[in-house]
Amino acid sequence: MAAVQETVDRVKSVDVDAYKYGFFTDIESDKAPKGLSEDTVRFISAKKNEPVWLTEWRLDAYRRWLTMTEPDWARVEYPKIDYQDLYYYSAPKSSPGPKNLDEVDPELLRVYEKLGIPLREQEVLAGVQERRVAVDAVFDSVSVATTFKAELAKAGVIFCPISEAVHSHPELVKKYLGSVVPVTDNYFATLNSAVFSDGSFVYIPPGVRCPMELSTYFRINEQNTGQFERTLIIADKGSYVSYLEGCTAPKRDENQLHAAVVELITHDDAEIKYSTVQNWYPGDSEGKGGIYNFVTKRGDCRGARSKISWTQVETGSAITWKYPSCILRGDESRGEFYSIAISNGRQQVDSGTKMIHLGKNTTSRIISKGISAGRSNNTYRGQVSAHRKATNARNFTNCDSLLIGETCGAHTIPYIEAKNATAVFEHEATTSKISEDQLFYCKQRGLSAEEATALIVNGFVRDVLQQLPMEFAVEAQKLISISLEGSVG
Amino acid sequence: MLEIRNLHAEIDGKKIINGLSLTVNDGEIAAIMGPNGSGKSTLSYVISGREGYTVTDGEILLDGANLLEMDASVRAAKGVFLAFQYPLEIPGVTTMTFLKACMNAQRKARGEAEFSTPDFMKRVRAGAEKLGVPQDMLRRALNVGFSGGEKKRMEVLQMSLLEPTFAILDETDSGLDIDALRIVADGVNALRDPKRSFLVITHYQRLLDYIVPDTVHVMSKGRIVKTGGKELALELEANGYRDFVGEAA
């Protein structure tokens, strides 16, 4: 209950249309020339001093991208993106490669301080937080700092910017990059393959339980700059890691493009828990500005009895196009997807998951909670399929939508396909409104309309919030209330 | 003390309450009886501040303060409680969480200190025990999957914890078997207090065998048409509402 009170207080303390992370920091940057061409791709690759194979890999992606067309099947509308009017690379001038935090531009450190992301290990250690979190901070196109690297290395865990992994662990990058999301997977993933800038690389060796939470914090700062990060996480046999991704961007009148690719691989008996709290700038209440979020996230349960779990809390972005998926290749592997997607104002969300059952006795679980307010549209799109050889595949899907007000929309589009007669797929879906009756009942007991809405929404998303690591659950709960601010009449 | 003077109220342009006057003194239990559509539930909503009703004339005073100027949550903090005929379900919110939110919201509104968690737990446990509400019900989502009897018992538990000065029971007996009715009535009787008054809305005299009223009012077409002692309820039971409904016309 304290958390609900806190959320209400927090909501009251922010103005309408106030996006807390909307500040811009004036940091001198080093940019690629505007527009996209083979030269841009070569420029990025050269900036990162990449080996020839990777430059070629990027160029191949770029050439394929030229032959593709932007997908239009999602339930979202936006003006055509002019890909020649964007910057594809922007890095703070002081970079690249500060050896330690003392070399990082203090202005940058202040940015993360303002965002509440601890980058100084001693501060983290001195803090009240019991659980420590290692952070990789990505600012526009480059990683500016990664904490706890040394301590993680002792456990054999590799956690570094992917641009660094290309040099320090080329064999791993070469083996796994593009192995889950192929270069030609889809329009945005192919674009990302050509111009990806930075992101995190994680490798957990066999039998190791990662000693702390790993986290990447993405920040888009520059104007007219696309962010194309690439994350690659490999959990070797019998290992475990919990990873969290967070993101924010300044408030701007123009839309900004974010097209990331995340690839997860679990070998036998390994587990990856991937949590996202997505808080990109959503645009103002009239729909001006905001991030276009076109993201491809996929996990490959390559080994037997391995497990991948996606948990996402989506509150930001003008447009969300995102389907974190699991390929259940290993026998007895398990995929999970827990999602809270909140839309307010003019936001458009088309999000869901894919559970592809290939191995025997594979199981998956989907819990999706969509909350729409304002004049937003929120679509759940989910695919569950069983391959011919996927004997005894099991899926349970529960998909609930909650509407607040009269001018928003919720849609559920399931695709279910079983090519094996032993598959058992269950799908439950509900759509409800916060009713006048419920609100009156709560008010009659002494709660204000805001408190009542916060309480009802928190109840609605409880199943999913429970899946998030403790600290982030509290953060997410606050975010939910802030996102819904102004939606109660 | 609750005073209603010449109350006129409507919903969607339809007049439901037509010049109703009623006084309920401190410590008094007043029963309102009347046929379907006489405006009994509307009266309970107008007193407790449900949106959608327009009061076109008259006033409602609780201990001299004008309730009509207050939001529903402010009236609640002031001491108005409505036990619902059909209590609402709040999925995902445990009964404990809900109770704590409400109790502390009211205390805060009155400028009182919020209950500490142990203090709160102690009160809820004691209250639940008195009403035979099992502990595991407190951990379940509020009213979700509760039987009719459990829901009504939960209303009475909320009432005992929120300690209102003026409580309305809207058809609390509907859907209850005789055992459940007795438990609920015992719970209400235990809350009788010289400082607390009740308005018991019911169709049937049956409930009034268990919660014995000081006064009985007959309502018809949005006004009080007859007032008497508890024997009036028995008269109604025997003869029906016909005589009184005629009077109002």
Side-chain angles (χ1 to χ4, degrees):
Chain A
M1 214 39 237
V4 171
Q5 190 47 50
E6 219 173 291
T7 59
V8 171
D9 291 346
R10 182 113 164 218
V11 168
K12 284 181 181 155
S13 71
V14 285
D15 296 322
V16 177
D17 277 281
Y19 172 76
K20 184 180 164 194
Y21 306 103
F23 62 89
F24 165 71
T25 313
D26 199 0
I27 286 183
E28 213 186 331
S29 64
D30 185 6
K31 284 187 208 159
K34 213 176 203 179
L36 185 54
S37 65
E38 290 206 5
D39 288 344
T40 318
V41 175
R42 285 182 205 281
F43 176 94
I44 295 168
S45 192
K47 271 282 170 200
K48 301 194 176 278
N49 206 9
E50 286 174 353
V52 177
W53 71 265
L54 192 51
T55 313
E56 286 306 317
W57 193 83
R58 287 174 177 276
L59 286 168
D60 176 49
Y62 173 68
R63 289 173 197 135
R64 286 165 184 266
W65 181 75
L66 289 176
T67 68
M68 299 166 88
T69 46
E70 211 167 313
D72 59 0
W73 44 262
R75 201 185 176 95
V76 294
E77 273 176 36
Y78 54 95
K80 213 168 160 39
I81 299 169
D82 182 354
Y83 291 91
Q84 296 307 332
D85 196 33
L86 288 177
Y87 289 103
Y88 288 82
Y89 181 86
S90 167
K93 265 265 166 70
S94 61
S95 292
K99 292 288 170 291
N100 60 53
L101 280 174
D102 296 333
E103 290 176 30
V104 175
D105 184 343
E107 192 60 39
L108 265 176
L109 288 178
R110 271 192 289 276
V111 170
Y112 285 89
E113 211 170 283
K114 216 164 151 184
L115 293 167
I117 310 297
L119 288 187
R120 291 193 175 275
E121 293 177 19
Q122 62 271 30
E123 285 169 13
V124 182
L125 289 165
V128 282
Q129 258 183 321
E130 260 184 40
R131 280 241 285 284
R132 290 170 304 154
V133 180
V135 179
D136 182 17
V138 177
F139 193 82
D140 288 335
S141 305
V142 293
S143 167
V144 292
T146 311
T147 60
F148 290 109
K149 267 160 95 171
E151 192 170 333
L152 288 166
K154 259 184 245 162
V157 172
I158 304 167
F159 178 44
C160 66
I162 198 161
S163 56
E164 187 182 315
V166 168
H167 298 288
S168 57
H169 303 280
E171 71 298 337
L172 287 173
V173 176
K174 206 168 174 178
K175 181 173 172 190
Y176 291 105
L177 186 72
S179 74
V180 185
V181 179
V183 167
T184 53
D185 189 80
N186 69 70
Y187 189 78
F188 298 109
T190 306
L191 175 63
N192 174 288
S193 301
V195 300
F196 76 86
S197 36
D198 220 337
S200 301
F201 176 84
V202 177
Y203 174 77
I204 316 289
V208 170
R209 197 180 163 87
C210 189
M212 62 183 88
E213 306 262 353
L214 303 184
S215 168
T216 300
Y217 195 88
F218 296 103
R219 173 80 179 165
I220 300 180
N221 192 57
E222 271 304 317
Q223 197 161 6
N224 294 328
T225 300
Q227 192 172 45
F228 305 93
E229 81 265 3
R230 188 103 193 176
T231 298
L232 180 56
I233 302 176
I234 302 131
D236 216 325
K237 289 180 184 174
S239 67
Y240 169 86
V241 64
S242 169
Y243 180 92
L244 182 107
E245 173 201 302
C247 23
T248 58
K251 261 169 103 158
R252 294 192 183 287
D253 288 346
E254 316 81 45
N255 297 102
Q256 281 170 287
L257 178 64
H258 174 250
V261 171
V262 175
E263 296 178 282
L264 312 182
I265 296 118
T266 48
H267 289 289
D268 290 356
D269 303 296
E271 179 178 347
I272 298 176
K273 190 172 160 62
Y274 192 105
S275 314
T276 306
V277 175
Q278 189 265 104
N279 185 22
W280 293 118
Y281 177 53
D284 68 11
S285 53
E286 290 308 308
K288 196 167 190 194
I291 302 284
Y292 289 168
N293 196 30
F294 298 101
V295 172
T296 306
K297 290 184 167 176
R298 196 171 303 153
D300 187 355
C301 288
R302 219 162 268 186
R305 297 166 305 278
S306 65
K307 181 177 165 186
I308 288 175
S309 168
W310 298 100
T311 304
Q312 60 171 19
V313 177
E314 306 273 310
T315 62
S317 297
I319 293 179
T320 302
W321 181 99
K322 180 180 169 192
Y323 316 90
S325 306
C326 297
I327 300 169
L328 304 169
R329 200 184 302 276
D331 290 346
E332 291 169 53
S333 59
R334 178 168 174 83
E336 291 174 353
F337 174 76
Y338 300 100
S339 170
I340 299 170
I342 297 176
S343 54
N344 199 352
R346 300 273 185 152
Q347 281 177 278
Q348 305 176 62
V349 179
D350 194 302
S351 182
T353 183
K354 287 191 271 188
M355 292 290 172
I356 315 292
H357 293 255
L358 302 178
K360 292 184 180 61
N361 302 316
T362 48
T363 55
S364 61
R365 183 179 164 88
I366 299 170
I367 308 285
S368 163
K369 305 277 182 183
I371 301 165
S372 333
R375 303 170 74 167
S376 66
N377 256 306
N378 204 324
T379 303
Y380 166 81
R381 190 184 298 277
Q383 182 186 359
V384 179
S385 72
H387 189 261
R388 205 163 39 80
K389 290 178 181 161
T391 320
N392 294 322
R394 294 280 180 278
N395 166 265
F396 173 75
T397 299
N398 175 283
C399 186
D400 296 329
S401 307
L402 184 69
L403 300 170
I404 302 176
E406 308 290 339
T407 50
C408 53
H411 317 272
T412 300
I413 309 176
Y415 304 82
I416 299 169
E417 189 182 18
K419 289 189 177 146
N420 185 308
T422 59
V424 178
F425 292 166
E426 289 175 73
H427 182 96
E428 289 176 0
T430 64
T431 301
S432 51
K433 271 191 73 166
I434 292 189
S435 67
E436 292 296 320
D437 288 339
Q438 272 178 325
L439 275 180
F440 173 58
Y441 188 73
C442 293
K443 285 169 81 174
Q444 207 299 305
R445 297 299 186 253
L447 301 177
S448 68
E450 279 169 331
E451 287 167 328
T453 306
L455 187 76
I456 294 167
V457 168
N458 275 306
F460 179 73
V461 301
R462 196 163 86 118
D463 307 354
V464 175
L465 279 187
Q466 282 170 341
Q467 300 297 329
L468 282 175
M470 199 38 190
E471 306 82 327
F472 304 127
V474 174
E475 195 55 36
Q477 198 166 27
K478 289 176 190 164
L479 245 183
I480 289 166
S481 292
I482 291 170
S483 306
L484 290 173
E485 189 214 352
S487 61
V488 186
Chain B
M1 183 169 77
L2 183 90
E3 297 166 273
I4 302 177
R5 293 182 193 143
N6 188 33
L7 186 70
H8 289 261
E10 55 185 53
I11 185 165
D12 299 332
K14 201 178 157 207
K15 290 204 78 172
I16 311 280
I17 306 287
N18 293 298
L20 182 141
S21 296
L22 176 71
T23 299
V24 185
N25 291 307
D26 288 349
E28 179 181 336
I29 294 191
I32 288 200
M33 301 183 74
N36 281 329
S38 55
K40 301 191 299 293
S41 285
T42 297
L43 177 63
S44 70
Y45 290 148
V46 173
I47 296 172
S48 54
R50 183 169 187 148
E51 282 168 36
Y53 295 90
T54 312
V55 173
T56 52
D57 200 6
E59 56 186 359
I60 304 178
L61 306 173
L62 180 64
D63 299 327
N66 186 358
L67 288 185
L68 295 176
E69 287 173 354
M70 302 173 196
D71 184 66
S73 60
V74 180
R75 296 186 202 193
K78 191 100 182 75
V80 175
F81 182 91
L82 170 61
F84 282 58
Q85 184 177 0
Y86 303 108
L88 276 297
E89 299 182 357
I90 318 263
V93 177
T94 65
T95 301
M96 264 317 184
T97 303
F98 182 79
L99 292 173
K100 194 170 178 197
C102 298
M103 286 165 74
N104 280 337
Q106 291 201 12
R107 292 182 69 83
K108 216 168 137 187
R110 290 192 293 260
E112 298 163 7
E114 294 185 14
F115 284 124
S116 68
T117 302
D119 197 8
F120 160 78
M121 298 289 277
K122 218 183 290 166
R123 282 166 183 271
V124 174
R125 290 224 175 91
E129 201 170 324
K130 266 191 217 150
L131 283 162
V133 171
Q135 296 294 321
D136 81 290
M137 221 162 111
L138 301 172
R139 288 189 292 268
R140 282 157 61 192
L142 182 71
N143 289 329
V144 177
F146 287 17
S147 70
E150 286 174 329
K151 283 183 183 172
K152 295 293 169 72
R153 226 180 290 175
M154 188 53 70
E155 294 292 285
V156 178
L157 174 61
Q158 290 183 39
M159 181 161 72
S160 72
L161 293 170
L162 292 168
E163 302 176 325
T165 49
F166 181 75
I168 307 167
L169 307 182
D170 188 6
E171 307 270 2
T172 292
D173 50 332
S174 70
L176 292 191
D177 61 34
I178 201 78
D179 294 328
L181 182 62
R182 193 169 289 142
I183 293 170
V184 167
D186 287 348
V188 173
N189 287 328
L191 294 174
R192 290 190 84 147
D193 185 285
K195 289 242 174 331
R196 181 174 294 141
S197 43
F198 291 87
L199 189 64
V200 180
I201 295 175
T202 183
H203 266 309
Y204 304 107
Q205 121 82 19
R206 186 181 73 156
L207 177 67
L208 304 181
D209 287 340
Y210 298 94
I211 302 173
V212 180
D214 299 303
T215 46
V216 174
H217 305 272
V218 181
M219 189 167 172
S220 172
K221 297 184 181 158
R223 20 187 334 196
I224 302 297
V225 293
K226 174 91 180 172
T227 296
K230 62 185 173 208
E231 63 289 343
L232 180 57
L234 295 168
E235 205 180 305
L236 283 169
E237 181 85 345
N239 303 332
Y241 291 114
R242 229 174 345 177
D243 301 350
F244 304 109
V245 175
E247 242 172 73

